[in-house]
Amino acid sequence: MTVEHPALALRGLAKRFDGTIAVAGVDLDVPAGSFYGLLGPNGAGKTTTLSMAVGLLRPDAGSAWVLGHDVWQDPVTAKRLLGVMPDGVRLFDRLTGAELLAYNGLLRGMDPAVVDQRAAELLDVLALGDAGRTLVVDYSAGMKKKIGLACALLHGPRVLVLDEPFEAVDPVSAALIRDILTRYAAGGGTVVFSSHVMEVVERLCSHVAILAGGTIKRVGTIDEVRGGRSLEQVFVEVVGGRTATGEELSWLSQ
Amino acid sequence: MALPVSADATPAAPVRSVSARHFVRLKLRVMGNNFRGQGWRIALFVGGALLGLWFAAAGFFLFAAPGLTGDGRYAVLIAAAGGGLLVLGWLFLPLVFFGVDETLDPARFALLPLPRRTLVTGLFVAALISVPVLAVLIASFGLVLTAWSLGGWSAGLVAVVGVLAGILLCVAASRAVTSAFATMLRSRRVRDLAAVLLAVTAALLGPLQIFGLAALREADWTRLTGVATVIGWTPLGAPWTVGIDVAQGRVWAAPVKLLITVVALGALLAWWSRSIESAMVGAASAGKAPVRRGVTGGAVAQLFPRVATWAGRDRFGALVAREARYWWRDARRRANLITIAVVGIFVPVLINVTGGDFAFEDGAGFTAAASDSSPVVVTISMLLVGVLAAVTLANQFGFDGSAYAANVVAGVPGRVELRARMTAFSLYVLPMLGVVAVVLSFLLSRPEWIGLTIGGLVATYGAGLAVNSLISVLGAYSLPETSNPFAMNSGAGLAKGLLTLLAMLASVVAAVPMVVAAALLGDAWLWLALPVGAAYGLGAALLGAYLAGDVLDRRQPELLATVTPRR
């Protein structure tokens, strides 16, 4: 099979916006079957990197492969293997949850009967069935993340790429999302997600890459990256530590 | 300026009060930052400014004509009619075509501790910083010149005051009306009422146009001057005529007319301030949709609305179904549909029923020669409607915004995408065009022209779809993510205007064969128009989707980037 191919391979991906360099040459190999966390502070280039990796943003240089298929040369095959939840959960939010799933399923060329069945299951498992005819635009932040995840999962992708799946999600929804992702990975799927929540990454991931200033600073299995310390310590050290607040904000205390 | 800092008050009083100056500076700063590193935006802005200056100069000489010739007879007529048209233009053009520049979105100020009066004044003054306002200012100083040359410096001075008040009135009117309609269209409860209201307001354009046409035809200037005098006493004409009143010795009229203007201005600002509040508070959601349980059918069955049940349960069908739902559920798109319906009925009725003496505004002075409606005139009016309908799609991807990512990720082929979008839009527009054709034919008591009208409409609409597909792929721009369906990004107003103009010109060119055929073929065309027009329209649309789809396939990520609001 495709054992020799990594689930996701990035080579020299680079992008600049209006003169500022957002991503400066990212190389990354995501082994098939891994649970990969892409860590980085705000503005590190996580979203830009992932967008280029899944075919949403054309890179200035470099290339990306999904299970050996070039995302930019052979987008049709690569996109068939991918499930994507873009940043800020961009969805057609004037549809109801069920309508949105049906839309995404048919757009992927799936059989209508299968779409119906999977959509019902997903809505049920993600506790979105109660929403009924509520439009996605009226969903809460957590519900939006869940329906976004459902859209990404619907066609049974081999590689799941999620941008900030745990941002602005309450603990109950977060636990649910975590469970589903774990089950997906256990079933042989590969998950790549970006985050800056250390606990989640530490709990879930088999591999971690730390991105800062548009380049990869640390990469490897979670134990390699941690090196016996906590992930947060490593992260703060790599990214450039916190500044001490002593006298500066004295007016905050009344 | 600075208030004393109170020592005891629990929330410390602000050290400086916020004034309109801050809003102006904020607006200039936002505009400036928008230009940074965006050469094409600057180019568009300069182009738009030049266009504005050109119109301003034309308007100036029109308004100044009585003064330059020293002939005061028609001064009131020109001031009242021209000024009234200006106000009406500010009222309707943003609703129908251009949108309002919402560089400073009221919702952004919701958390700041600003008194509403400060906020409204600030936003109002900031709204004055724009090219159209400058253009109107230049044009209306023609009135000042007229007043000055007819009545000396005192009349000129009064005219300055009047003209400035008139400009304030224009801006206040456009803000108040768009804001009120935005509020109504946003609310799930009264949005249909808003649609009707919009239609009725647009219907008011009718009498005005008839007035204008009567002026051209009958040239009964004394009677028109009487009408103009009356208009001069309404808020539409009051601010523009004060200078001439003084010049012609009716000094007592000036304070009264200025009072009328100020009262109207105050009422508009009060109205605006009320709808601003609802925009600020209710921006998140205007009441939840009722949660209806017991949904029938599976997810796929739910996706397809009744108008699209015929579509296959595949990629194309899903796109059609989603677009069809969006044209109704998205306030921005619905506003466009309503506009098409309104314009579609009134433009041809006005052109044809009032006798075909329709002078095009493009300055060429083209006037249809026929005193009664003819197949050529009918075809031309249909051409306008078809083009106007199709031009709605000129930024179809902008409506989607970042949600378009879903289609990119799914790798939808460009041709399927464009064909589906055309189909879904046509589900709404074609029936409307059919109604337009039938209504027009019966109003003209020429039922045998139904074929002609439908043929002309469908042909131009199809050609327009083709042109606009290509433009929507190449010239897309992002729309602001606000709840105001009429809002535009700063600078985008010009882009949109130019793009619309380009799209319309290209569509008209593509549809010219229909007019030529109507002119050359005579009576035979009455029977050929329907089949030929339908085939022409369908062929053009398919060809457009074929060609533009190819471009779209290569530009999907770039298109996504251009329609994603920068934030």
Side-chain angles (χ1 to χ4, degrees):
Chain A
M1 278 245 311
T2 49
V3 183
E4 67 270 26
H5 289 301
L8 187 67
L10 311 180
R11 286 292 172 275
L13 278 184
K15 184 77 188 175
R16 62 165 66 224
F17 295 115
D18 300 338
T20 38
I21 295 170
V23 174
V26 164
D27 298 315
L28 200 64
D29 280 307
V30 176
S34 64
F35 209 125
Y36 213 106
L38 187 59
L39 276 169
N42 298 325
K46 301 189 294 284
T47 297
T48 310
T49 305
L50 291 183
S51 298
M52 290 190 290
V54 299
L56 283 176
L57 181 69
R58 199 182 296 280
D60 292 339
S63 31
W65 290 269
V66 176
L67 293 164
H69 299 280
D70 192 315
V71 174
W72 291 98
Q73 301 301 321
D74 181 16
V76 177
T77 322
K79 283 174 177 176
R80 202 171 290 152
L81 297 165
L82 273 174
V84 180
M85 185 170 87
D87 75 303
V89 202
R90 310 149 157 190
L91 300 167
F92 281 105
D93 54 14
R94 256 83 175 184
L95 300 178
T96 67
E99 286 167 1
L100 186 63
L101 286 175
Y103 175 66
N104 274 288
L106 294 179
L107 216 55
R108 294 278 188 174
M110 291 169 65
D111 177 47
V114 178
V115 172
D116 272 344
Q117 183 228 330
R118 288 191 187 173
E121 257 181 74
L122 279 167
L123 289 176
D124 189 40
V125 170
L126 288 165
L128 292 171
D130 293 339
R133 303 284 300 162
T134 310
L135 300 186
V136 173
V137 69
D138 291 328
Y139 276 16
S140 66
M143 289 165 80
K144 279 184 188 161
K145 290 276 181 194
K146 288 196 283 184
I147 196 73
L149 179 64
C151 289
L153 282 171
L154 186 70
H155 62 290
R158 301 277 303 278
V159 181
L160 200 54
V161 178
L162 312 169
D163 200 348
E164 303 280 6
F166 298 102
E167 200 187 32
V169 175
D170 66 76
V172 181
S173 301
L176 191 56
I177 293 177
R178 233 167 31 223
D179 283 350
I180 289 175
L181 292 184
T182 319
R183 213 157 81 198
Y184 172 80
T190 310
V191 182
V192 183
F193 73 98
S194 67
S195 183
H196 44 229
V197 187
M198 298 301 145
E199 301 79 38
V200 176
V201 174
E202 227 162 358
R203 175 125 49 112
L204 287 178
C205 293
S206 60
H207 295 68
V208 176
I210 298 180
L211 190 68
T215 50
I216 301 268
K217 301 289 188 198
R218 295 284 155 81
V219 64
T221 65
I222 185 126
D223 291 326
E224 284 169 8
V225 170
R226 271 194 299 210
R229 292 183 293 168
S230 85
L231 192 57
E232 183 166 359
Q233 281 174 326
V234 177
F235 182 81
V236 170
E237 179 199 302
V238 168
V239 169
R242 58 177 71 125
T243 51
T245 52
E247 290 301 300
E248 298 94 320
L249 301 176
S250 56
W251 50 268
L252 271 177
S253 51
Q254 303 275 321
Chain B
M1 184 105 273
L3 295 173
V5 187
S6 57
D8 53 340
T10 336
V15 181
R16 297 199 202 172
S17 64
V18 176
S19 70
R21 205 162 42 92
H22 295 89
F23 286 85
V24 171
R25 276 173 34 201
L26 180 61
K27 167 138 185 183
L28 289 174
R29 175 60 57 87
V30 172
M31 282 169 79
N33 286 355
N34 266 328
F35 288 138
R36 207 157 56 182
Q38 307 264 336
W40 61 272
R41 284 198 188 191
I42 300 173
L44 267 178
F45 182 80
V46 171
L50 289 178
L51 201 68
L53 278 180
W54 190 81
F55 278 116
F60 177 85
F61 285 112
L62 182 69
F63 279 137
L68 293 174
T69 56
D71 182 355
R73 266 184 304 167
Y74 304 130
V76 173
L77 177 65
I78 287 178
L85 276 176
L86 273 182
V87 178
L88 287 177
W90 277 87
L91 266 182
F92 291 112
L93 289 183
L95 283 179
V96 180
F97 291 114
F98 298 113
V100 287
D101 172 20
E102 216 172 59
T103 309
L104 303 185
D105 177 1
R108 301 286 164 81
F109 297 92
L111 282 179
L112 296 178
L114 290 174
R116 191 150 36 122
R117 180 182 293 269
T118 313
L119 181 65
V120 171
T121 328
L123 288 174
F124 181 54
V125 174
L128 292 173
I129 314 275
S130 76
V131 172
V133 171
L134 185 69
V136 171
L137 187 68
I138 293 173
S140 55
F141 263 79
L143 286 173
V144 176
L145 185 67
T146 296
W148 174 75
S149 74
L150 294 178
W153 63 268
S154 58
L157 216 58
V158 173
V160 170
V161 175
V163 159
L164 291 180
I167 289 167
L168 295 183
L169 189 74
C170 284
V171 176
S174 87
R175 291 287 149 159
V177 168
T178 46
S179 181
F181 271 114
T183 311
M184 292 178 81
L185 285 172
R186 209 163 38 228
S187 149
R188 293 205 173 87
R189 210 166 305 144
V190 292
R191 67 187 184 195
D192 302 321
L193 178 68
V196 175
L197 262 179
L198 193 61
V200 171
T201 0
L204 293 177
L205 285 171
L208 190 85
Q209 181 130 5
I210 289 167
F211 167 77
L213 290 172
L216 286 175
R217 187 127 40 100
E218 296 173 13
D220 185 353
W221 296 100
T222 15
R223 185 140 58 92
L224 285 177
T225 309
V227 177
T229 314
V230 174
I231 293 178
W233 284 98
T234 66
L236 289 180
W240 315 103
T241 48
V242 282
I244 289 149
D245 280 333
V246 172
Q248 296 181 341
R250 296 184 294 275
V251 180
W252 53 271
V256 184
K257 283 190 173 181
L258 285 177
L259 186 69
I260 290 174
T261 311
V262 169
V263 168
L265 188 64
L268 285 169
L269 285 181
W271 188 24
W272 185 36
S273 126
R274 279 188 53 193
S275 54
I276 274 187
E277 180 140 304
S278 90
M280 282 165 60
V281 181
S285 162
K288 289 223 164 189
V291 180
R292 262 176 283 152
R293 301 297 310 276
V295 182
T296 52
V300 173
Q302 287 175 44
L303 173 64
F304 285 78
R306 226 170 305 153
V307 285
T309 37
W310 51 269
R313 301 301 190 251
D314 53 10
R315 219 173 224 180
F316 177 79
L319 281 162
V320 172
R322 201 266 304 152
E323 281 282 304
R325 288 225 179 273
Y326 257 67
W327 278 109
W328 192 244
R329 284 189 189 162
D330 186 356
R332 197 141 45 190
R333 296 201 192 198
R334 201 170 48 238
N336 273 306
L337 276 185
I338 293 165
T339 306
I340 297 174
V342 171
V343 175
I345 290 287
F346 285 99
V347 166
V349 168
L350 287 170
I351 293 177
N352 292 289
V353 175
T354 50
D357 277 346
F358 182 69
F360 280 82
E361 292 166 349
D362 60 8
F366 175 85
T367 313
S371 61
D372 202 355
S373 200
S374 75
V376 177
V377 176
V378 169
T379 309
I380 288 177
S381 68
M382 292 298 99
L383 191 133
L384 286 179
V385 175
V387 164
L388 269 174
V391 91
T392 309
L393 291 188
N395 192 28
Q396 53 180 342
F397 293 98
F399 290 131
D400 293 353
S402 55
Y404 176 63
N407 294 12
V408 179
V409 165
V412 182
R415 284 165 196 165
V416 178
E417 171 106 46
L418 289 174
R419 274 206 304 271
R421 282 170 185 266
M422 288 177 178
T423 310
F425 184 54
S426 304
L427 288 179
Y428 292 96
V429 172
L430 282 183
M432 275 191 219
L433 296 185
V435 171
V436 168
V438 172
V439 167
L440 186 67
S441 304
F442 280 98
L443 275 178
L444 296 173
S445 337
R446 291 289 190 97
E448 72 272 19
W449 282 5
I450 286 183
L452 180 76
T453 46
I454 294 185
L457 271 176
V458 173
T460 46
Y461 174 65
L465 284 184
V467 169
N468 285 293
S469 305
L470 194 61
I471 286 185
S472 72
V473 173
L474 292 175
Y477 52 92
S478 68
L479 295 169
E481 284 179 336
T482 77
S483 45
N484 182 352
F486 303 109
M488 296 295 307
N489 278 328
S490 63
L494 289 163
K496 186 185 174 188
L498 288 177
L499 204 66
T500 310
L501 205 66
L502 183 71
M504 288 175 72
L505 280 178
S507 311
V508 166
V509 170
V512 157
M514 293 300 286
V515 184
V516 175
L520 292 183
L521 292 179
D523 280 349
W525 183 243
L526 289 181
W527 305 107
L528 281 176
L530 180 56
V532 172
Y536 186 85
L538 186 67
L542 287 178
L543 183 67
Y546 183 82
L547 295 176
D550 217 32
V551 182
L552 177 57
D553 279 336
R554 271 177 278 124
R555 277 184 48 91
Q556 271 187 352
E558 284 75 15
L559 181 58
L560 176 63
T562 48
V563 297
T564 304
R566 273 208 301 177
R567 191 135 302 158

